[in-house]
Amino acid sequence: MKTIIFIGTNKSGSSREAVRAAEKLGYLTVLFTNREKQLQQRKEYPDVHKMIFIDTSNLEKMRAEIRNLRLTGFEIKTIVSFVDPFVHIASVLCDEFCHNLTSTKAIEIMEDKEKTRNFLKDQPYSPMFYSIRPNQSFSYKTEYPLIVKSPKSTGSKDVLLATNKSQLENHLQVLQSKNPNETIIIEEFIEGPQYLVEALVYQEKNHIIGIFEQEIRNGKRFIITGYGLLANVPDDIQTGIEKVLQSIVNKFGIQNGALHLELRLTKNGWKLIEINPRISGGAMNSMILAAFGFSLVEETLKLFLGEKPNVEAKHRKFIFTKYVTVNRKGILEKVIGKTRASKAAGVVEVYVKPKRGATLSPPLSMGHRYAYVIAEGASLAEAENNANAAAKEIQFILKV
């Protein structure tokens, strides 16, 4: 039984679509999960052929489980993860039990923001940064605002803006008390429009899959509330991003792999905000499918399996995705407007995540985005207008 093992999956989004893609490609799917709720909701995961409840941070336990699978006839072709923070762990296991085509060392560095910053510190696209050790204070002379972050932060949870010394000291205290043995990173604040770049590397050749303008909500956290996929990328943006991507791939020595970059275009050129060694989560795979007609997670799996991915666009459409958040905390009583949103002009997909009884709150992380609308248009502006108009139809009725 040709099998793909997945370390973790979310209930929806890119990671779940990867499991479905594996089934579509004819593989048996095995999921290692540390979420007890997923076992309780087992019937909602028909694309997972075998679900195993296990500590996904414990390599020894997973090694033992993989050996048991092998003994019972499972032919493990690859071990993967499309979820933070398991991409590196999956690659370590793949090194041991399969023919791993990706670079475990590169993935390990990319998953750690401090290691990434130090690894790329001499590159022109690397911003100024400082590493603050446990219980160390910040004593450098610098200009505000500054960004304060945990090196293991995901989804904007531990990425904070400091506009003065008092805020900086408070942020440092909060993060150091939360993770007392962890280094904190302080970076210069980069101004300029932000772009997300999805990319695949196959046999040392870079493929830019999609370039997205990001709409950012600046509140207590930096939350991405909109993505505009550029069907036609201006030459200067394309060339600049290709140059940065090529430099990163060369520096890390990546021969095969998936990654996404977040970049800001400044008056001094491109600056790297973040790298992640996987496709973005949420609606990313659906956006690429709508824009270009292929599934990026499916083509990524082919790459991991040693096959040539086909990332040629079948068509090119302007796509905008608008995420929906709430302004106050409360218990969800009902959601209204989903049907109206689905029938609105240009709408490709509407997704609402929470069920009745869930506790919703204003966004402090990407996980606090509770719905999205993907819409197309004859231009990016039209796609954005269509997505925004449809998203306004969706309302979360809360009780305090």
Side-chain angles (χ1 to χ4, degrees):
M1 296 179 286
K2 292 182 179 180
T3 302
I4 297 176
I5 296 177
F6 291 86
I7 312 296
T9 186
N10 293 318
K11 196 171 184 179
S12 63
S14 301
S15 61
R16 181 64 183 280
E17 286 159 27
V19 179
R20 294 187 179 120
E23 183 185 47
K24 179 185 171 185
L25 290 170
Y27 289 86
L28 201 73
T29 61
V30 174
L31 173 66
F32 287 0
T33 179
N34 61 356
R35 298 183 185 180
E36 196 168 351
K37 191 174 182 180
Q38 290 185 327
L39 267 77
Q40 296 166 355
Q41 298 175 339
R42 182 67 182 89
K43 291 182 180 179
E44 297 181 32
Y45 294 82
D47 40 281
V48 175
H49 302 132
K50 187 175 182 63
M51 187 181 290
I52 297 171
F53 183 61
I54 195 167
D55 180 356
T56 46
S57 64
N58 190 318
L59 279 168
E60 283 306 317
K61 287 185 177 180
M62 288 192 286
R63 288 182 179 115
E65 197 61 58
I66 292 167
R67 293 187 194 102
N68 287 337
L69 289 168
R70 276 181 159 182
L71 289 172
T72 52
F74 291 82
E75 184 184 353
I76 314 299
K77 287 299 183 181
T78 192
I79 302 168
V80 297
S81 183
F82 289 75
V83 181
D84 278 328
F86 304 126
V87 182
H88 173 245
I89 288 172
S91 191
V92 168
L93 292 170
C94 196
D95 282 337
E96 296 178 23
F97 293 97
C98 313
H99 177 51
N100 192 358
L101 297 170
T102 63
S103 169
T104 299
K105 184 61 179 177
I107 291 169
E108 180 188 12
I109 295 170
M110 287 184 197
E111 277 195 347
D112 187 301
K113 291 173 175 57
E114 183 190 13
K115 289 180 180 178
T116 297
R117 285 290 185 235
N118 283 319
F119 192 71
L120 298 173
K121 65 183 178 182
D122 297 326
Q123 302 304 312
Y125 46 81
S126 183
M128 187 185 302
F129 73 98
Y130 310 89
S131 296
I132 307 300
R133 305 299 169 193
N135 300 315
Q136 181 184 354
S137 60
F138 183 71
S139 57
Y140 301 94
K141 289 183 178 180
T142 186
E143 293 183 5
Y144 291 89
L146 295 169
I147 298 296
V148 189
K149 62 172 70 169
S150 159
K152 300 291 197 304
S153 67
T154 59
S156 299
K157 283 194 288 290
D158 292 323
V159 180
L160 307 167
L161 177 68
T163 57
N164 54 53
K165 185 179 179 182
S166 176
Q167 267 193 341
L168 174 62
E169 290 173 347
N170 182 61
H171 292 336
L172 283 172
Q173 185 177 7
V174 168
L175 291 181
Q176 286 175 334
S177 63
K178 193 173 180 180
N179 302 293
N181 299 317
E182 194 174 82
T183 298
I184 306 300
I185 302 171
I186 297 175
E187 299 176 354
E188 63 173 316
F189 177 74
I190 306 296
E191 291 192 75
Q194 185 160 307
Y195 295 82
L196 183 144
V197 182
E198 289 289 344
L200 279 186
V201 183
Y202 176 67
Q203 294 183 351
E204 300 183 23
K205 184 178 179 181
N206 303 332
H207 299 272
I208 291 180
I209 305 301
I211 297 174
F212 302 76
E213 292 180 353
Q214 292 184 310
E215 173 189 277
I216 302 175
R217 172 176 170 172
N218 292 338
K220 289 186 176 181
R221 301 290 190 277
F222 297 94
I223 308 297
I224 313 299
T225 54
Y227 297 83
L229 201 162
L230 303 178
N232 299 308
V233 183
D235 289 343
D236 57 334
I237 290 177
Q238 181 80 26
T239 301
I241 288 174
E242 284 176 351
K243 187 177 178 180
V244 173
L245 177 63
Q246 185 65 60
S247 172
I248 288 169
V249 169
N250 289 345
K251 182 73 174 172
F252 279 95
I254 301 171
Q255 295 182 332
N256 300 282
L259 67 156
H260 70 266
L261 317 176
E262 290 184 3
L263 300 160
R264 283 202 172 186
L265 182 54
T266 76
K267 60 184 179 182
N268 297 317
W270 291 96
K271 293 294 180 180
L272 179 68
I273 304 301
E274 192 167 294
I275 308 177
N276 284 290
R278 55 174 176 79
I279 182 178
S280 301
M284 182 54 64
N285 194 64
S286 295
M287 284 188 271
I288 290 169
L289 184 62
F292 303 129
F294 64 84
S295 165
L296 181 54
V297 292
E298 182 175 329
E299 300 309 320
T300 302
L301 284 174
K302 288 179 184 177
L303 183 149
F304 291 157
L305 292 161
E307 301 173 26
K308 183 179 180 179
N310 181 5
V311 291
E312 291 294 321
K314 297 176 182 176
H315 55 246
R316 289 188 175 274
K317 296 181 180 179
F318 288 101
I319 295 293
F320 194 92
T321 297
K322 180 67 177 180
Y323 276 86
V324 183
T325 59
V326 297
N327 295 320
R328 65 182 180 89
K329 189 172 183 178
I331 307 298
L332 180 62
E333 288 191 330
K334 62 179 178 178
V335 181
I336 60 175
K338 183 179 178 181
T339 301
R340 288 194 301 276
S342 300
K343 294 178 179 179
V347 170
V348 174
E349 181 184 341
V350 176
Y351 175 72
V352 176
K353 181 170 68 172
K355 299 285 197 307
R356 183 179 180 182
T359 300
L360 310 190
S361 62
L364 292 176
S365 75
M366 298 294 196
H368 294 150
R369 303 179 300 180
Y370 296 116
Y372 65 72
V373 174
I374 303 176
E376 64 182 33
S379 65
L380 187 57
E382 183 177 294
E384 182 175 0
N385 288 337
N386 289 341
N388 285 335
K392 286 177 183 175
E393 297 287 354
I394 299 171
Q395 296 182 48
F396 295 100
I397 309 302
L398 307 177
K399 63 179 179 180
V400 178

